[in-house]
Amino acid sequence: MKFERPDIFRPPSEWDSYFLPLTNGCSNNTCAFCALYGEKLQVREADDIKSEIDALALYGGTGIRLPAIPEIVYEIAQDWNGKRVFLQDGDALVYPFRQLREVLQYLNEKLPQVERIGCYATPQDILRRTPAELSELKGLKLSIFYTGVESGDDEVLTHIGKGVDRRRMAGAGRKAKEAGITLSVTVILGLGGIEGSEKHARETSGILTEIDPDYAGALTLTLVPGTPIYEQWERGTFHLISPFQSLEELKTIVENSIFTDCFLSSMHASNYLSVRGRLPQD
Ligand code: SF4
């Protein structure tokens, strides 16, 4: 089956990256709120990825475009400053380790000016890798993971089908950090609904404290048609919090999370109020 290039779905801070697909979809396609819910994972051949890296290196050095390479490659490359690469898709860290190492080595060799490589990583992906493997990836410049923590409340994590409980989620976050990998996590305001709002916020500040990430972003739950949470909301079994309640959740999280040095923000378009600051000092 021909690999289908995914649409670009990225963390805000990766706006100036080159987007290199390793997979399409997400292996953990059970999250009840996510647009990738139920999507099948496609894994791209390493040789196909290497051809794209070759084309990128050739274009960067000479401006030559190869007819066999999809136009999107050059559309992204023409505005790219050569410094950052983001590996698509929903959990690129699921890519088999040996091939991942091979692709990263190739990328380093052909594009030595690249300074940082990042990807989405599920807690399951991180837990599957040994500390030595994670350090090796870091050595190959895969130095930032973006992980959806979503909540620290086990009841919420079960309800949304995250596939891990709080203990494993926190363990995965700490494991990435111990390997020296920068960790950027997101949590979702409103995931506990109205009834679970306070507990969700309190427990989320608890898991953020346990993980102590480098970056933490708060999003507000957006209902995506076709997902289980959307259907529960339509049936009246899930009650969406109000904008004011989302601010209360954010306040609880900011007040109760204890960080060593974390840039916390709620700049995502889904939020009702944008705040950002480095904690604890700000
Ligand atoms: S792990 Fe992330 S990308 Fe995958 S389905 Fe869950 S929320 Fe979506």
Side-chain angles (χ1 to χ4, degrees), residues 25-41 91 122 124 150 156-164 226-229 232:
C26 173
S27 68
N28 185 49
N29 57 7
T30 56
C31 299
F33 60 87
C34 178
L36 292 183
Y37 176 82
E39 289 281 314
K40 249 190 148 175
L41 178 78
D91 68 333
T122 62
Q124 293 92 326
E150 334 300 10
V156 172
L157 291 173
T158 303
H159 174 230
I160 62 168
K162 196 67 198 169
V164 286
T227 59
I229 284 229
Q232 290 161 19

Side-chain angles (χ1 to χ4, degrees), residues 195-231:
E195 294 80 358
S197 176
E198 200 204 320
K199 181 160 163 263
H200 163 59
R202 225 177 335 101
E203 305 277 317
T204 298
S205 66
I207 197 169
L208 287 175
T209 301
E210 285 167 29
I211 296 177
D212 196 14
D214 303 282
Y215 299 92
L219 284 66
T220 299
L221 178 64
T222 306
L223 295 171
V224 180
T227 59
I229 284 229
Y230 184 91
E231 282 156 22

Side-chain angles (χ1 to χ4, degrees), residues 15 43 58 68 70 86 95 152 166 177 179 192 231 245 273:
W15 63 274
V43 178
L58 180 69
F86 182 74
Y95 202 71
R166 170 170 166 170
K177 283 201 68 190
E231 282 156 22
Q245 283 166 323
L273 177 72

Side-chain angles (χ1 to χ4, degrees), residues 147-205:
T147 298
V149 162
E150 334 300 10
S151 177
D153 182 351
D154 270 335
E155 249 182 275
V156 172
L157 291 173
T158 303
H159 174 230
I160 62 168
K162 196 67 198 169
V164 286
D165 60 11
R166 170 170 166 170
R167 189 184 58 80
R168 279 169 51 81
M169 178 77 83
R174 285 196 303 268
K175 190 174 180 184
K177 283 201 68 190
E178 277 159 21
I181 293 171
T182 300
L183 187 65
S184 179
V185 304
T186 45
V187 297
I188 304 183
L189 307 175
L191 260 194
I194 291 178
E195 294 80 358
S197 176
E198 200 204 320
K199 181 160 163 263
H200 163 59
R202 225 177 335 101
E203 305 277 317
T204 298
S205 66

